[in-house]
Amino acid sequence: MTSPSLSPNSLQARRADLKSQRRRKLGQSLWRFLAISGMAVGLAWSVTLPYWVIRNSKQVEIEGDKLLSKAKVLDLLSLSYPQSVWKLRTHQLSQRLSASPPLVDATITRTISPPRLLVKIQERQPVAIAYQNHQPGYIDPEGVFIAKSFYEKTPQKLPTFSLKVFGYGPQYQQYWPEVYNLIKDFPVKVSEINWQNPSNLVLTTELGKVYLGAISPQFGRQLKQLEQLRSLSSYIPLSEIVYIDLSNLEVPTVQLKQKPEKKSLNSLVRKQ
């Protein structure tokens, strides 16, 4: 069955209708494009508005600054003003702060009403005074060295540290966590650790100076042997001791002021 043929007038009306539909679709697409472009331009313009600009450090809030001063945190942040709050690369700024020796971590968030930056920091907690290349500073339980200059104009005094470390360097950081964990609650009080001679780690203790030789895995055993000598003063006046030598665990000795030769401590250690 064949479809009835269309009259010339019907074909002309259909063509006109199709053209009209195309014009409407084209117009709709154009309006959508203009609307989206207008929104994009408006957003870009609004970002530059003065209402969303960090103009000075008063618009930077800092949380967690107990040891560091706000001025030092701002110095580490190294912001220039004015800054559009939208253009600030907060992730990069957070990484920069986190990499600073006094800090463990840092996060930065921004708000637009009002425009400001919120900087949350987690500080390292120093546990000992340290000297690295004759530069004074502090070290935390992980062995991170923090120069003393970081704590200038700190809002509160740093704790008083009973432990000092001399000759500290990056090469000793891997050993420090174990060393510190072993001596912090050690029964024989340790007031100084001297690493200035890499071949001879020296402890200053309540019994006197103790030579341990180069740092090694036997450090824990050496401390146990030192603990066995707590009653040493009952046998030898501490004022007569120049140093105790535990570098050789098999032959512990003590150097006395009045005797050129070393005195063996094996008998005393066995008694303990």
Side-chain angles (χ1 to χ4, degrees):
M1 182 176 180
T2 59
S3 58
S5 58
L6 298 174
S7 67
N9 290 337
S10 298
L11 289 172
Q12 187 175 3
R14 177 172 292 183
R15 282 195 294 269
D17 186 50
L18 291 173
K19 287 181 180 181
S20 178
Q21 291 180 22
R22 284 196 294 268
R23 282 196 296 270
R24 283 197 300 272
K25 289 181 179 179
L26 182 60
Q28 291 171 354
S29 299
L30 180 60
W31 278 112
R32 279 198 298 268
F33 172 77
L34 291 175
I36 294 172
S37 298
M39 290 174 62
V41 170
L43 180 61
W45 172 78
S46 63
V47 165
T48 64
L49 285 175
Y51 308 110
W52 292 346
V53 170
I54 304 294
R55 296 188 176 278
N56 52 58
S57 60
K58 293 180 180 179
Q59 294 171 267
V60 181
E61 295 185 14
I62 299 172
E63 293 183 2
D65 52 324
K66 297 178 181 178
L67 299 178
L68 294 173
S69 65
K70 179 178 180 180
K72 178 55 68 174
V73 177
L74 290 171
D75 182 54
L76 295 174
L77 199 56
S78 298
L79 281 179
S80 58
Y81 305 99
Q83 282 266 16
S84 168
V85 73
W86 294 108
K87 293 182 179 180
L88 285 169
R89 299 180 178 181
T90 55
H91 181 66
Q92 292 183 5
L93 291 173
S94 298
Q95 287 183 323
R96 182 195 301 169
L97 278 182
S98 299
S100 180
L103 300 179
V104 178
D105 191 28
T107 57
I108 300 177
T109 55
R110 52 192 167 193
T111 62
I112 59 173
S113 182
R116 64 170 184 166
L117 287 183
L118 177 59
V119 181
K120 294 183 179 180
I121 61 174
Q122 181 183 348
E123 296 178 311
R124 294 190 182 276
Q125 301 302 312
V127 294
I129 297 171
Y131 294 85
Q132 180 173 283
N133 297 325
H134 304 292
Q135 180 186 11
Y138 308 90
I139 47 178
D140 78 336
E142 296 179 358
V144 175
F145 179 80
I146 310 166
K148 186 179 180 180
S149 58
F150 282 109
Y151 298 115
E152 292 176 350
K153 299 180 181 179
T154 183
Q156 65 180 39
K157 286 186 177 181
L158 290 172
T160 300
F161 301 105
S162 60
L163 180 63
K164 293 182 179 179
V165 183
F166 296 91
Y168 187 74
Q171 69 272 30
Y172 299 125
Q173 185 174 348
Q174 60 178 314
Y175 305 109
W176 176 253
E178 179 184 5
V179 170
Y180 176 68
N181 284 329
L182 287 173
I183 67 172
K184 66 179 181 180
D185 298 317
F186 190 54
V188 179
K189 183 181 177 181
V190 179
S191 58
E192 292 182 6
I193 299 174
N194 194 317
W195 250 309
Q196 289 176 311
N197 182 355
S199 63
N200 187 24
L201 174 61
V202 181
L203 305 182
T204 299
T205 75
E206 61 185 85
L207 300 178
K209 292 196 179 293
V210 181
Y211 290 3
L212 301 180
I215 186 70
S216 71
Q218 69 175 1
F219 180 78
R221 291 178 57 208
Q222 289 172 314
L223 287 187
K224 288 182 179 179
Q225 196 168 74
L226 179 60
E227 185 178 358
Q228 291 179 312
L229 299 173
R230 291 181 67 188
S231 60
L232 183 61
S233 60
S234 300
Y235 303 89
I236 304 172
L238 296 183
S239 59
E240 291 298 312
I241 296 176
V242 179
Y243 62 84
I244 300 167
D245 192 342
L246 300 181
S247 57
N248 184 345
L249 288 174
E250 302 302 320
V251 190
T253 59
V254 59
Q255 178 66 58
L256 302 177
K257 291 180 180 179
Q258 304 301 324
K259 296 183 179 181
E261 73 278 1
K262 294 181 180 180
K263 178 181 177 62
S264 174
L265 292 172
N266 267 331
S267 58
L268 183 57
V269 170
R270 292 194 186 100
K271 287 180 182 180
Q272 306 297 322

